[in-house]
Amino acid sequence: MARTKPPPAVPPRADPPPPAGTNRRFVRRSLIHAPAADLFAWHARPGAFERLTPAWSPVRIVSRTGGIEPGARVVLDVPVGPVSTRWEVEHRDYVEGRQFRDVQLEGPFARWEHTHLVHAETIDTSTLADVIDFRLPLSPLSDLVAGWFADGQLDRLFAHRHAVTAADLTQHRAANPSGRTLQIAITGASGFIGGALDAYLTTAGHTVRRIGRSAPRPGSTDIRWDPARGILDPAALVGVDAVVHLAGENVGQRWTPEVKRRILESRVQGTGLLARTLAALDRKPAVLVSASGVGIYGDRGDETLHERSTLGSDFLADVSKQWEGAADPARAAGIRVVHPRTGVVLSPDGGALERLLLPFRMGVGGPIGSGKQWMSWITRDDLLAVIEWCIFRDGLDGAVNAVAPTPVTNAEFVRTLGAVLHRPALLPVPGLALRLLFGDMADATILASQRVQPSRLQASGFAFRHRTLHPALAFVLGATSDA
């Protein structure tokens, strides 16, 4: 089962001696339930840096040359309080299957060397160790003032990194025991879900081909399309084994007639074009995972909803029905089509949670509307694993509720968020104010109640990392050192 807490500690091994010019050392060592070769390969693949960077501590890659081999460099834009700083590191001392080292060339530390170590323990287990030797600027004075803070931040960061690494490897193996690698095309690959999915799948060894409106970069295998004009070259999809379709207009805005038109057309036109194009291929992909949402059930109060529950009749439900139906040409052509019906996706860098964080951190958060409406939620990491699971589980087709098994009322959600952030959650947001701001969108999304169960996922054996809300929010927000 995938983990949300850091993997168990293991007895210390002999670490490399600290280099001259350093006076602080941080070590995080964990037992990982994966072969050493798999653990090392995960770190060496594209997407590993993105997977290891917490959403609560965003770091922007300015430039990157090479992978983790000697001489490869990464230039980062790193937030330091209210400003950001440039951080350039070079990879050195690469030993295949065992270690690599990052050495700061320019950045916020007086010195920084980070050694990544992998040791085989048994055939199916290995030790991951991160050894960091560093010197703070203005040391030794800074050690007295900020040494404790630096150590605490490193402990928080690497607890998260080891937990993500262990859980990713566990879920990759659970979804794909044979380890076969695929060519997977993704629409919406630059979005809130798609960008994270790209990194998640590439670290599993798959080749991701992004389908987007921009012209592909020279040398890339990305694919250009224009759904509004019906442009998608079938030849560009030859050899693709699976397709994940995530593109669509954002529903989280006031629904003017023009916005409603874009919401509907972006889903129906894009899905229809993709489904027809895939259906016409001589060698078709085995599966199309085409996104949907729990809004398809409409506002249902306290009713518990499963995949076979009746569907709603409001605007969002009607859009979702047409959205799913637009994939029928692919289904008729023998392609397995799966519709993950997604709830509120939890990550601090996008979606509903990002919008809630500022008022809650300022101490002015509280229940929305009556607070009695049910929220069906899922962490972004679990949603990525659900999509991977749908790609490889031949027995799954049609609707699959992509939500955690413990929905909560809005009142419980805001109480839990306040508790995780150590802030009050007492100031309500009246439903009338939301209707004035957002019109029909407020009733169909923010104030609607959907108490959804992931019945088919659980029956298929899927294991959630985050089943209950408090530990899920603590993890995605980095609120505890043992997240």
Side-chain angles (χ1 to χ4, degrees):
M1 183 175 182
R3 296 175 179 268
T4 58
K5 293 184 178 180
V10 295
R13 290 176 175 268
D15 294 322
T22 62
N23 63 348
R24 302 190 75 86
R25 167 166 280 196
F26 170 85
V27 179
R28 165 73 69 165
R29 186 179 284 104
S30 299
L31 180 68
I32 306 295
H33 291 277
D38 292 355
L39 176 58
F40 191 86
W42 187 93
H43 283 85
R45 288 171 180 146
F49 180 85
E50 288 80 1
R51 289 299 296 150
L52 292 171
T53 302
W56 42 261
S57 181
V59 173
R60 185 175 66 88
I61 298 176
V62 178
S63 65
R64 176 163 45 191
T65 57
I68 61 172
E69 294 78 15
R73 293 188 179 187
V74 182
V75 179
L76 307 170
D77 187 54
V78 181
V80 180
V83 299
S84 61
T85 186
R86 177 188 172 97
W87 197 358
E88 182 175 2
V89 297
E90 182 178 82
H91 296 304
R92 300 176 184 173
D93 302 322
Y94 176 92
V95 180
E96 175 68 31
R98 293 182 58 189
Q99 75 164 46
F100 61 99
R101 180 174 290 126
D102 310 325
V103 178
Q104 175 186 286
L105 303 179
E106 174 187 346
F109 294 90
R111 188 179 183 94
W112 172 278
E113 291 197 13
H114 174 192
T115 305
H116 309 250
L117 297 167
V118 173
H119 298 285
E121 299 293 340
T122 68
I123 293 176
D124 293 320
T125 63
S126 50
T127 297
L128 171 63
D130 287 279
V131 180
I132 301 173
D133 293 289
F134 65 104
R135 184 179 181 88
L136 295 172
L138 305 178
S139 180
L141 176 62
S142 56
D143 292 293
L144 297 173
V145 176
W148 63 272
F149 178 77
D151 292 342
Q153 289 299 102
L154 287 173
D155 189 60
R156 179 187 184 213
L157 172 63
F158 281 88
H160 180 95
R161 290 174 67 137
H162 282 215
V164 167
T165 303
D168 277 15
L169 286 163
T170 296
Q171 289 189 300
H172 290 325
R173 179 179 283 191
N176 180 24
S178 69
R180 62 193 173 103
T181 57
L182 306 179
Q183 281 202 38
I184 303 173
I186 304 176
T187 73
S190 62
F192 170 54
I193 305 301
L197 181 64
D198 183 347
Y200 180 78
L201 292 174
T202 53
T203 51
H206 305 297
T207 299
V208 170
R209 303 181 64 187
R210 304 161 193 84
I211 303 176
R213 287 181 171 83
S214 301
R217 298 185 305 274
S220 80
T221 59
D222 293 347
I223 300 165
R224 185 174 180 272
W225 78 332
D226 186 339
R229 298 171 60 192
I231 296 174
L232 177 59
D233 182 6
L237 291 163
V238 171
V240 167
D241 302 298
V243 179
V244 180
H245 176 41
L246 302 171
E249 178 81 10
N250 178 25
V251 301
Q253 54 186 313
R254 188 178 180 87
W255 288 352
T256 64
E258 170 62 18
V259 169
K260 283 187 170 183
R261 181 190 65 78
R262 292 203 306 265
I263 288 172
L264 177 62
E265 290 185 356
S266 67
R267 283 158 174 76
V268 175
Q269 286 180 346
T271 306
L273 174 62
L274 189 60
R276 292 190 300 272
T277 304
L278 296 176
L281 295 175
D282 292 332
R283 180 188 179 277
K284 300 172 180 58
V287 59
L288 167 62
V289 180
S290 186
S292 184
V294 297
I296 199 168
Y297 298 112
D299 185 358
R300 303 292 280 272
D302 292 331
E303 180 184 356
T304 299
L305 302 167
H306 305 276
E307 284 87 354
R308 293 189 178 182
S309 297
T310 57
L311 306 182
S313 58
D314 60 15
F315 169 73
L316 193 56
D318 287 341
V319 167
S320 300
K321 285 183 278 189
Q322 293 186 59
W323 190 10
E324 292 186 5
D328 284 347
R331 186 177 289 108
I335 299 171
R336 181 169 59 88
V337 178
V338 190
H339 298 292
R341 292 175 175 171
T342 304
V344 177
V345 181
L346 300 184
S347 183
D349 59 344
L353 183 58
E354 181 185 41
R355 293 192 291 271
L356 288 172
L357 285 178
L358 179 60
F360 270 81
R361 283 175 170 153
M362 294 176 64
V364 294
I368 297 173
S370 70
K372 296 179 181 179
Q373 69 271 30
W374 286 89
M375 296 177 63
S376 295
W377 59 273
I378 187 170
T379 61
R380 183 168 61 182
D381 280 351
D382 266 334
L383 179 56
L384 306 182
V386 167
I387 293 171
E388 178 186 36
W389 189 261
C390 291
I391 289 172
F392 285 98
R393 275 293 175 276
D394 292 338
L396 282 179
D397 62 359
V400 174
N401 290 335
V403 293
T406 54
V408 296
T409 63
N410 176 262
E412 183 180 350
F413 183 91
V414 299
R415 276 197 306 271
T416 306
L417 180 57
V420 169
L421 295 174
H422 304 291
R423 296 290 190 275
L426 302 174
L427 295 178
V429 180
L432 178 60
L434 292 170
R435 292 184 182 98
L436 290 174
L437 281 172
F438 298 111
D440 293 345
M441 188 275 282
D443 283 312
T445 59
I446 304 170
L447 300 172
S449 180
Q450 287 115 12
R451 188 181 187 178
V452 181
Q453 283 295 309
S455 303
R456 297 192 66 202
L457 275 178
Q458 291 186 303
S460 70
F462 181 79
F464 287 88
R465 300 186 197 198
H466 308 116
R467 297 179 62 87
T468 56
L469 185 63
H470 191 285
L473 284 173
F475 185 80
V476 301
L477 296 175
T480 59
S481 62
D482 63 347

